[in-house]
Amino acid sequence: MSAKKEIVLSGIRPTGFVHLGNYFGAIRNWVNMQEEFDCYYCVVDWHSLTTHPNTKELKENVLRLVSELIGSGLDPEKCVLYIQSDIPEIAELYLYLNMLAYTGELEKTTTFKDKVRMQPENVNSGLLTYPVLQAADILIHRAVKVPVGKDQEQHIEMTRNFAQRFNYRYGEVFPMPYAFNYGDDLIKIMSLDGSGKMSKSENQMNTLYLADDDDLIRKKIMKAKTDSGPTTPNSVKPDYIEGLFNLMNIVSEKEVTAKFEDDFNKCSIRYGDMKKQLAEDMVKFIAPVRSRTQAIRRDEKYMKQVMEHGASKARASAIATLQLVRDAIGLKYH
Ligand code: TYM
């Protein structure tokens, strides 16, 4: 019998179009990991309610996201792809973990503080306990590896704290999960103007989406911020130039990137040429993902089947964990 594979879980919010930060920070790893591990990938619609209470676009966002994930290379036969709200067991585990999470630590969480700043009119307690729900997502499958981008590191650390407290109080149920990336560090993709991370709430012209058409990709990249170039050899790159090189490193041939690195170091770089090259390589990368996504999205029967299949597999795993949790706490009276 083969050894049991390690369990992987990750999630993504259905709050907008998938962008390159999502892809290179997380989804690319998800795709690779499905060959090696027991993978669960979740569209976290409950989480999206903390910031997007209006649900008019939710259904379309969820369906598009599922199709974008498959278009990016997830294979529903090789991984368990499901929607969070199809698994009520997550909500029950969230309840237990809430008793182990201190309001003080939740108030100190970076993402909570950011969101309070962004939506002062709606500081709901779901926003405060967001990391607890995320911990429930991870622990419900007793996952170990959590492929995420750099911005999620703190949430995974909090998950470990909650898991440790649970194990200490009620007995060993959860293994310790950790943030995972192939390669050394977690990834942070910068917005095209280098002003911060690429995100769903950023200016759309500074964000590349997997749904962007070829001309829009070219336009966004050609507009990306540059300057007149370095004047001393081997200078340190400004953030916005570093960001362009990072993208090039990911989508262009090694020799191509090396040539522009060399030009930069010799102060002979022409950013116009570099951006043209990057734009063409980006188009080559995004176009097939976009067309696969569109074809999948149109196939309503297949979409339904994928979501039902995912929900039933994820529920089986969730029910098994919840049984261990209830036994450990001692919730059995008859
Ligand atoms: P979300 O939906 O914001 O993003 C999904 C994934 O994309 C990564 N990401 C980035 N990586 C690198 N550079 C960027 N600019 C960038 N922008 C986004 C994120 O790190 C993430 O991996 N709280 C999570 C969703 C979640 C979750 C979970 C994740 C809910 N439950 C359980 C893991 C495990 C979130 O808001 O991701």
Side-chain angles (χ1 to χ4, degrees), residues 69-324:
L69 291 172
I70 300 171
S72 300
L74 287 192
D75 178 349
E77 296 298 318
K78 291 186 181 159
C79 66
V80 181
L81 175 58
Y82 64 101
I83 318 295
Q84 187 182 38
S85 61
D86 277 334
I87 318 297
E89 289 73 21
I90 298 172
E92 185 175 333
L93 182 56
Y94 168 55
L95 180 149
Y96 302 134
L97 295 176
N98 265 314
M99 317 306 176
L100 300 166
Y102 303 116
T103 54
E105 66 187 332
L106 296 172
E107 280 160 357
K108 273 193 284 186
T109 313
T110 312
T111 49
F112 176 67
K113 290 194 286 192
D114 286 347
K115 284 173 186 164
V116 169
R117 228 174 298 127
M118 272 153 55
Q119 54 178 63
E121 74 299 338
N122 182 17
V123 184
N124 59 78
S125 68
L127 210 52
L128 181 69
T129 56
Y130 183 111
V132 187
L133 182 55
Q134 181 158 348
D137 290 332
I138 297 168
L139 299 175
I140 199 72
H141 302 298
R142 302 166 79 217
V144 181
K145 286 186 160 65
V146 189
V148 283
K150 181 89 186 142
D151 60 318
Q152 295 298 311
E153 206 168 20
Q154 188 181 29
H155 288 170
I156 314 304
E157 196 181 309
M158 294 173 83
T159 301
R160 271 199 301 279
N161 290 337
F162 305 146
Q164 225 151 24
R165 281 176 215 158
F166 184 99
N167 288 350
Y168 179 75
R169 187 160 298 171
Y170 301 115
E172 204 68 30
V173 171
F174 300 115
M176 290 303 123
Y178 60 92
F180 177 86
N181 178 40
Y182 283 108
D184 298 334
D185 297 318
L186 297 183
I187 293 206
K188 178 177 176 180
I189 300 289
M190 301 299 283
S191 70
L192 290 175
D193 66 354
S195 66
K197 67 168 184 176
M198 198 172 271
S199 79
K200 291 172 186 138
S201 46
E202 254 287 338
N203 177 345
Q204 301 203 344
M205 278 312 282
N206 292 327
T207 304
L208 285 166
Y209 300 97
L210 297 184
D212 286 346
D213 65 36
D214 294 354
D215 285 342
L216 189 55
I217 296 168
R218 292 190 182 100
K219 194 165 151 201
K220 287 182 179 179
I221 292 182
M222 292 316 289
K223 278 191 155 190
K225 180 173 173 181
T226 52
D227 51 34
S228 52
T231 47
T232 33
N234 304 313
S235 318
V236 176
K237 299 187 185 87
D239 285 350
Y240 47 93
I241 299 297
E242 180 78 36
L244 290 179
F245 271 100
N246 282 343
L247 290 179
M248 194 166 231
N249 257 320
I250 293 172
V251 295
S252 302
E253 300 282 341
K254 270 200 178 63
E255 307 78 62
V256 170
T257 318
K259 175 207 170 297
F260 285 104
E261 283 279 357
D262 199 46
D263 291 350
F264 179 88
N265 288 331
K266 290 184 181 143
C267 304
S268 60
I269 189 157
R270 293 158 60 130
Y271 287 130
D273 291 350
M274 179 182 174
K275 290 199 282 190
K276 248 187 231 149
Q277 176 76 47
L278 177 60
E280 289 320 307
D281 292 338
M282 194 58 81
V283 164
K284 249 188 251 158
F285 168 77
I286 290 180
V289 175
R290 187 182 61 227
S291 63
R292 273 198 303 272
T293 298
Q294 287 165 351
I296 292 155
R297 178 65 193 89
R298 280 193 295 268
D299 192 345
E300 300 281 350
K301 197 168 144 219
Y302 174 70
M303 293 281 299
K304 187 167 171 348
Q305 188 193 320
V306 163
M307 289 184 288
E308 284 175 359
H309 179 66
S312 100
K313 284 182 126 174
R315 271 204 91 183
S317 155
I319 287 169
T321 300
L322 208 49
Q323 192 55 54
L324 296 176

